[in-house]
Amino acid sequence: MNLLFLLAALAAQQPEAQDDASEGVPWQAQIYSNFTNWTAEELARRDEWDLAHRCGGSLIADGWVLTAAHCIDQKKVDKGYRIRLGAQYLDTDEGVTYRIDRMVRHADYDKPRHLNDIALVHYVADGDTDDSAAAAPIEPIALYDDDGIEAGVEVYATGWGQLEEGKDRGFQAELTEVDLKTVDCGSLAVYRGKTDGNMLCASSPDNDTCTGDSGGPLVLGQDQPVLVGVVSWGDGCYREGGAGVYVRIDRDHYRDWIDRAMASDPSINELR
C-alpha cells in the first residue's frame, strides 16, 4: 500500500512485502470510475480495472461510505462513479457494485492545505448490482467514539494503493493491510506547520499507505475494530522516517459532522 497524491520525488526504496487482507475487511469499499473508453495506448500500459480505480472508503452504515473529500465531487457523481463492496481482488469480477447517487463533502474542504478532507458517498443498487458477486462479508465498521488517540498507538490501514512512489505506477490487484503506529505530526519536520488538530499521523519502518489508498480506513483493534481515521495525504510514500497523514475520527473530530451529513436533505452536497 501507500499514501496519496503529494508525490514530490520518485526516489523511494522498494518496501518489504505487505500482508494481504485475506481474513477479510468487511467494511472496505472501493470508489471507481465507470468509464470504459480507454485508448489502446492506455490499455497497453495498465489493465482496465487499474485505470478505473480511484480511492478506498469505509462502509459505516447501510448505503453510506466514508471517504476523503479529494476522492469525490459532484462531477464524479454525475459521471456515474461507483462503489464496490465485498471484494478482495480488483482484477476479477468479484464484489457487489452500486451507483453513487449523491455525496456530501465538507464545505470547508481546502485542497491545497488538505483541510477537512472528508466526505460521505451514498450508493444505490441498479441494473449492474449483483448481490451474489460478494467474495467477502460486507459489514459496516463502528466509528471511534472516545477521546482522540495519542502517539504510539498501533493501528492498521487497508487498500489497493501503489507499492512504490511515483505517477502512474499502477495499483495492487489484491487488498493489502499495513501495520502502523501513530506518531505526533509535529515531531516530523516535513509536516511542521502543515497539519492541524483534525489530522493524525501514522508510520511504519517498512510500509506506508500511498496513491490509491486515499479515502480508505485507518483502524484501531482487531477483535472489536473501530474506525479512527481516513487516509488523506502525505509527503511521498515509503520514505525513510516518513509518515502518512489521516483525518481524525473520534468524539471531538467529525463524529457530529458525519451524523449530520447522513441526516441531511438529499439536495445538499456540501455541509459545514
Side-chain angles (χ1 to χ4, degrees):
M1 277 181 39
N2 336 38
L3 193 35
L4 245 172
F5 57 86
L6 268 188
L7 302 174
L10 304 182
Q13 65 181 26
Q14 184 72 17
E16 295 181 3
Q18 297 171 342
D19 296 331
D20 64 49
S22 56
E23 294 182 1
V25 185
W27 52 85
Q28 180 75 47
Q30 180 205 19
I31 296 175
Y32 71 98
S33 168
N34 63 332
F35 181 80
T36 57
N37 194 26
W38 308 106
T39 67
E41 182 181 356
E42 289 171 324
L43 291 172
R45 296 196 309 266
R46 296 167 65 182
D47 292 334
E48 188 168 341
W49 67 266
D50 194 7
L51 292 165
H53 177 70
R54 290 296 176 267
C55 282
S58 301
L59 179 67
I60 63 168
D62 186 28
W64 288 102
V65 166
L66 185 68
T67 190
H70 74 264
C71 288
I72 193 71
D73 56 35
Q74 190 58 49
K75 288 183 179 179
K76 291 181 174 66
V77 176
D78 295 341
K79 287 179 179 178
Y81 273 49
R82 299 183 68 82
I83 288 287
R84 186 188 308 274
L85 299 171
Q88 177 81 12
Y89 294 89
L90 297 183
D91 58 349
T92 69
D93 292 328
E94 69 184 37
V96 187
T97 73
Y98 303 87
R99 178 175 63 86
I100 298 175
D101 68 332
R102 62 176 293 221
M103 65 101 192
V104 185
R105 202 162 70 167
H106 200 290
D108 291 328
Y109 167 53
D110 185 324
K111 182 177 179 178
R113 296 190 294 166
H114 317 289
L115 301 177
N116 301 300
D117 188 16
I118 188 169
L120 280 160
V121 293
H122 185 266
Y123 62 83
V124 293
D126 64 3
D128 292 327
T129 302
D130 179 4
D131 291 332
S132 68
I138 299 173
E139 296 178 4
I141 187 172
L143 302 178
Y144 186 59
D145 193 26
D146 208 335
D147 296 334
I149 59 176
E150 303 296 332
V153 177
E154 294 182 351
V155 292
Y156 61 95
T158 51
W160 293 279
Q162 294 180 186
L163 269 176
E164 60 180 317
E165 181 181 326
K167 186 177 180 181
D168 295 331
R169 297 285 175 162
F171 303 118
Q172 297 178 82
E174 183 178 10
L175 182 65
T176 60
E177 175 182 318
V178 56
D179 294 326
L180 303 165
K181 186 173 287 188
T182 58
V183 61
D184 177 15
C185 296
S187 69
L188 304 168
V190 70
Y191 293 136
R192 216 161 285 153
K194 298 179 181 179
T195 59
D196 66 7
N198 293 322
M199 300 178 189
L200 176 67
C201 290
S203 67
S204 164
D206 304 313
N207 277 310
D208 201 354
T209 49
C210 199
T211 305
D213 291 321
S214 298
L218 183 71
V219 177
L220 172 67
Q222 294 282 352
D223 296 333
Q224 294 182 310
V226 289
L227 188 72
V228 296
V230 175
V231 181
S232 180
W233 66 285
D235 185 61
C237 315
Y238 302 117
R239 297 184 181 185
E240 184 176 354
V245 186
Y246 303 78
V247 179
R248 282 185 180 270
I249 304 296
D250 58 52
R251 181 182 297 162
D252 298 319
H253 298 92
Y254 300 110
R255 281 300 311 271
D256 175 66
W257 182 89
I258 291 169
D259 290 340
R260 290 187 295 110
M262 289 194 295
S264 65
D265 188 275
S267 64
I268 293 175
N269 62 11
E270 287 192 347
L271 184 69
R272 179 164 290 106

